[in-house]
Amino acid sequence: QAQLMESGGASVQVGGSLRLTCQASGNAANTDCMAWFRETRNGREGVARIDRDGSTHYPNNYPNTGQGRFTISKDSAKNILYLQMNRLEPGDTGMYICAAGNIGWATCEYAYYGQGTQVTVSS
């Protein structure tokens, strides 16, 4: 049975850091790509993605991730996905959801999602 289980979310102050963890099992542990999404009442948006070859992708429309505030990584031997989050801002608040899938025509097609872990950043 495919499963993704997130942990590491917490309530932190502005400027703080968190490391999110996603443990993959079953079919979810053998996929081409994994990613973190952030879900708020405005919807779900991609935060970072990492592919089987280790290449990483950060969407241009997510503020400041391209400047190194967030870093996605994985431990393939343990089937664990990480998201290191630094210099947290109130706008980073949301439910962070781990996803896994396979490369389709031009991007990752996600087939598995976790339940999420809540991150709340307060000033």
Side-chain angles (χ1 to χ4, degrees), residues 16 28 37 40 42 50 56 68 73 75-76 80 84 94 100 108 111 114 118:
F37 288 85
T40 67
N42 296 323
I50 187 166
T56 57
S73 62
D75 183 332
S76 297
I80 299 176
Q84 179 66 44
C108 186
Q118 179 67 35

Side-chain angles (χ1 to χ4, degrees), residues 37-114:
F37 288 85
R38 183 177 70 107
E39 188 167 89
T40 67
R41 60 181 142 190
N42 296 323
R44 183 179 290 183
E45 61 181 344
V47 174
R49 173 185 132 199
I50 187 166
D51 294 343
R52 190 188 295 271
D53 63 0
S55 59
T56 57
H57 311 269
Y58 300 93
N60 292 332
N61 62 342
Y62 192 83
N64 297 327
T65 53
Q67 297 174 17
R69 281 202 313 127
F70 291 3
T71 302
I72 190 170
S73 62
K74 64 178 180 175
D75 183 332
S76 297
K78 297 180 179 178
N79 297 320
I80 299 176
L81 179 72
Y82 300 102
L83 183 68
Q84 179 66 44
M85 310 167 69
N86 298 326
R87 303 193 308 277
L88 284 161
E89 303 170 352
D92 297 321
T93 295
M95 181 71 73
Y96 283 74
I97 297 169
C98 174
N102 292 301
I103 300 295
W105 175 247
T107 187
C108 186
E109 297 180 355
Y110 300 103
Y112 310 106
Y113 292 88

